[in-house]
Amino acid sequence: KQMWAVIGSDTHPLDPLPDAPGIFRGKVPGDAPYHLRGAAGDASWDFEDPYRFGPVLGEMDEYLLGEGSHLRMWEALGAHVMEHEGCHGTHFAVWAPNARRVSVVGDFNWWDGLRHTMRKRGATGVWEIFIPNVGDGAFYRYEIVGPDGTIQPRKADPVGFGSEHPPANASIVRDIREYGWSDGDWMTKREAMQSREAPISVYEVHLPSWRRKDWGRPISYIEASDELIAYVKEMGFTHIELMPISEYPFDGSWGYQPIGMFAPTIRCGLPNEFRDLMNAAHRAGVGVILDWVPGHFPSDPHGLGKFDGTSLYEHADPREGFHKDWNTLIYNYGRAEVSNFLTANALYWLEEFHADGLRVDAVASMLYRDYSRSPGEWVPNKDGGRENYEAIAVLQRMNTATYGDNPGIMTVAEESTAYPGVSQPVDQGGLGFGFKWNMGWMNDTLEYIKKDPIHRSYHHHQMTFGLVYAFSENFILPISHDEVVHGKGSMFGKMPGNEWEKFANLRSYYGFMWGHPGKKLLFMGQELAQRSEWNHDAQVDWECLSDPNHAGIQRLVRDLNHLYRDTPALHAKDCFEDGFQWINGGDSQNSVFSWVRRGGPDDPEVVVVCNFTPQEHGAYRLGMPAAGTWREALNSDAEIYGGSNRGNYGSVEASDGEYHGQPAHADVTIPPLSAIYLVRDT
């Protein structure tokens, strides 16, 4: 076989390349472009020489990548379809500073690591090559020779925009340059829709198991653009939170062990089809929050671990770089390029896919060096303490960058400790998140509601303690997927009592939750009182809605959402202390809780009363904020929700006369295991 340089009709013999037998190159006269001719037997073919093309990355890219400050890193690294020096192809670039050689291998070069060896760009540690005539849909990996001369397992692209269907794991070139967004109205008003004063009620969704199609395949992004958005809109949720959609190899990780941090999972479709879902949500007035996982990554051979033959993305010391709980690796947050990788990834989802926010997973595991470790299994910080200064700096940098460049977005921390200032601004010493999941509230109230009502009077404080710290952060009240897996049962299954009492307990608990200060989050299936715990290999139990009791719970959640959204007193001061006042938080004997919610000075007040015993309390004297007629806006015991239809015949009359520290009082009927909402008529 012999290669020839070709210029017009003139051919020029070439000298053999010493490292590639059978491949030749020679000097081409002048500045005219050239290409190569291959011959084997009687066949011959012409093709472009990838090494005739100049670099794509510029000096500014080199500078920013080397400094770890290239916040649009995905525009430089990864695989980009483009026209370069008059030729169509794909530019590949990857960070592998300790490698001896990096090559692109793919279906376009027979997975041969000697055909497309990349050029190293100086001290940045970045390698690049432009390969002509490679475009969207091409399969590829990186073949890397480590510093000791060993060829590493072939690696997926850390900044790749597409991937094969798992368990296959090659990266796929995806052209994401063009998309016709039509969500301008939403993007303009988004900031007001996601503020602390806005009603925010989140429907948490694991998309592959929300609804299954055609013999069990996951719903597609295109199908979800219609079905999921319509359902969420009807149910009154303001937002969807998608469990991680960045590509992941193992279905059982639910996306929390991602490898393709820049690739929407192919399980449900292509990148632009995921954009279709985001666009459809926004056109319907629904926000979308994405779960984001900067806390760890799996050790699969094709992933980031030992990427260039060294501990590049992770700590080399397992006391800092390995999570024994999850069998995963921990990012080296103190390395500038790794900090840049994570911050840029957060910006990528917000900017390229118009995500409205990021919920950051497992923040506690990032904040503390001794997280889930015994003495001797962790390395103290420079001051001898347990706080992970480097991880804290990454979180602060991410929040500063995302809020600074994308007005109106929201970031949410899943943080299970009492770390101070999680939702305080960075310039005030906080982590800079917009909101924090209230894990303490969730744990306390679930422990209470699981108890037999006869014992609840002894645990009354579990329902009231959350108000001690309710306004120390901007809280979201979460009933998430974590509460309905691994043998914990469904929300319905947690409830004590007979069949009727289980439904009534759940209705009263949801009534308590929606009336409590804090934004709301509910995992899919729990709005139906699904009896079984979540199974990621099956869909939500939609068939249970044929039972009127399950349909009643669904109707209650829908009405709670609409009441919450339409009533400023229930949402405008979720995060402010003057929006809440106990009427009687101490009636442990009757397991009754009552409080007032307030909005602005012109907003009607709301009184919420919850009874967590199976006994009706008739003529229960209750302090009221004002005399007059109070409309029974919602009663969880109503027949339409599956209840016994006991209550106050639509309204309550309050009379002057102080009671419970309030200027007026009323005698109220509180049905068994119920929540009622009374709204003052003005």
Side-chain angles (χ1 to χ4, degrees), residues 61-78:
D61 288 316
E62 284 193 64
Y63 175 79
L64 296 175
L65 288 168
E67 188 181 56
S69 60
H70 201 313
L71 294 184
R72 302 304 182 279
M73 183 192 70
W74 71 90
E75 296 177 353
L77 303 186

Side-chain angles (χ1 to χ4, degrees), residues 175-179 181 221 225 264 270-281 348 351-354:
D175 188 352
I176 64 169
R177 291 175 295 178
E178 301 294 333
Y179 185 77
W181 292 100
Y221 297 131
S225 300
L270 301 175
N272 275 353
E273 293 171 341
F274 180 60
R275 282 169 163 160
D276 289 339
L277 173 58
M278 305 296 283
N279 199 49
Y348 169 78
E351 297 183 7
E352 294 290 347
F353 294 93
H354 286 199

Side-chain angles (χ1 to χ4, degrees), residues 313-332:
Y313 286 87
E314 73 275 20
H315 282 280
D317 187 338
R319 294 177 300 167
E320 296 186 89
F322 186 74
H323 270 310
K324 62 179 182 179
D325 288 358
W326 302 313
N327 196 34
T328 54
L329 301 173
I330 303 171
Y331 288 102
N332 184 349

Side-chain angles (χ1 to χ4, degrees), residues 570-593:
L570 291 175
H571 65 253
K573 295 196 173 182
D574 269 330
C575 304
F576 302 92
E577 192 168 1
D578 62 345
F580 175 89
Q581 182 184 17
W582 282 115
I583 294 174
N584 187 358
D587 189 1
S588 58
Q589 181 178 354
N590 292 306
S591 296
V592 170
F593 304 82

